């Protein structure tokens, strides 16, 4: 029988901080707000995180670690060609669906230019970006994928995934329905995968050609 393990106080603080920073932003969030969300005193929070800056940086470190882990699992699967692209897109989509507050944090930090972080967010994400561009360019050079601007294709994928979740409330107003229930998420993921298939694959390509990378 599986036993539920209560999260540590430190993890509860991190979870509460994600919620607070995502909903009110870095500047408008105080340590008192986070402590109140957890249900502890400010002094107890300071025992784990000596400053708001330290707490925010650890929130982002956990965000990036979780995201990179999810993508690494997808990249390591025994798939090639378009199947690999679909596996990575699906993994990224699933991560954002599971962690919508992370999406809001990423968007806020991107708009602010990473000004609240000691790390360079763009430099941290650059290896993922370069790896994706390289994968597409190798596929295009070998004739498996149609010729496109690989860097722009990756940026399109990034925007297609993140903006849907960060703008979910606005989208619900446009479509007069839920944007984040299972049916809506399935439709969105299918659409994103269809866009990449149309961009990358000749409709007359044979099935064995798609596995040539």
């Amino acid at each position: 029988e599986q036993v539920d393990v209560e999260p540590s106080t430190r993890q509860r603080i991190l979870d509460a901080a994600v919620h607070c920073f995502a909903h009110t932003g870095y500047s408008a969030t105080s340590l008192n707000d986070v402590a109140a969300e957890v249900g502890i005193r400010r002094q107890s929070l300071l025992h784990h995180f000596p400053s708001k800056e330290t707490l925010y940086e650890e929130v982002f470190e956990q965000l990036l670690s979780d995201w990179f882990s999810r993508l690494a699992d997808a990249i390591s699967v025994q798939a090639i060609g378009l199947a690999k692209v679909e596996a990575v897109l699906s993994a990224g989509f699933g991560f954002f669906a599971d962690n919508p507050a992370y999406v809001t944090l990423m968007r806020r930090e991107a708009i602010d230019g990473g000004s609240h972080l000691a790390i360079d967010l763009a430099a941290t994400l650059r290896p993922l970006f370069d790896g994706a561009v390289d994968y597409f360019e190798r596929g295009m050079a070998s004739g498996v994928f149609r010729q496109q601007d690989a860097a722009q294709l990756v940026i399109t994928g990034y925007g297609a995934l993140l903006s849907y979740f960060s703008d979910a409330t606005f989208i619900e107003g446009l479509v007069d329905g839920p944007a984040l229930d299972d049916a809506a998420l399935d439709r969105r993921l299918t659409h994103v995968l269809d866009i990449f298939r149309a961009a990358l694959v000749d409709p007359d390509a044979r099935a064995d050609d798609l596995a040539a990378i």
Side-chain angles (χ1 to χ4, degrees):
E1 183 179 346
Q2 184 174 356
V3 178
D4 292 332
V5 178
E6 287 291 325
S8 66
T9 300
R10 183 182 184 85
Q11 187 58 52
R12 288 168 57 215
I13 292 170
L14 287 169
D15 293 341
V18 169
H19 174 81
C20 292
F21 286 133
H23 284 81
T24 59
Y26 178 86
S27 298
T29 297
S30 70
L31 291 181
N32 287 335
D33 295 329
V34 178
E37 183 84 9
V38 180
I40 61 176
R41 296 184 302 114
R42 174 191 171 95
Q43 202 61 32
S44 298
L45 186 152
L46 290 171
H47 173 73
H48 296 277
F49 301 97
S51 68
K52 184 168 79 168
E53 292 80 6
T54 302
L55 175 58
Y56 189 71
E57 287 175 12
E58 184 143 346
V59 163
F60 250 88
E61 286 178 8
Q62 182 169 287
L63 181 164
L64 293 173
S65 176
D66 291 348
W67 187 17
F68 289 177
S69 177
R70 185 81 67 97
L71 291 181
D73 288 344
I75 292 169
S76 66
V77 300
Q78 296 300 311
I80 52 179
L82 184 66
K84 175 80 79 177
V85 175
E86 292 178 337
V88 173
L89 286 171
S90 297
F93 189 91
F95 178 77
F96 296 140
D98 293 340
N99 301 279
Y102 279 178
V103 178
T104 306
L105 272 178
M106 287 287 293
R107 298 285 280 184
R108 283 185 181 276
E109 203 56 37
I111 291 170
D112 291 343
S115 59
H116 305 305
L117 290 172
I119 63 171
D120 183 335
L121 187 58
T124 302
L125 297 177
R126 186 63 185 265
L128 286 177
F129 178 82
D130 288 345
V133 170
D134 177 69
Y135 185 78
F136 285 131
E137 288 181 341
R138 284 188 289 113
M140 293 170 193
S142 67
V144 174
F145 293 151
R146 298 169 65 182
Q147 289 295 321
Q148 302 283 354
D149 184 321
Q152 289 299 319
L153 190 62
V154 175
I155 293 170
T156 295
Y158 170 86
L161 296 185
L162 263 74
S163 63
Y164 182 80
F165 292 99
S166 65
D167 299 353
T169 301
F170 173 67
I171 291 170
E172 288 176 347
L174 292 177
V175 301
D176 292 325
L180 298 178
D181 67 4
D182 289 345
L185 291 175
D186 285 346
R187 287 195 300 272
R188 180 59 183 175
L189 177 57
T190 297
H191 180 69
V192 171
L193 297 180
D194 286 346
I195 287 175
F196 270 78
R197 175 178 286 273
L200 291 170
V201 178
D202 186 325
D204 297 325
R206 298 174 303 171
D208 55 348
D209 290 336
L210 301 182
I213 296 180

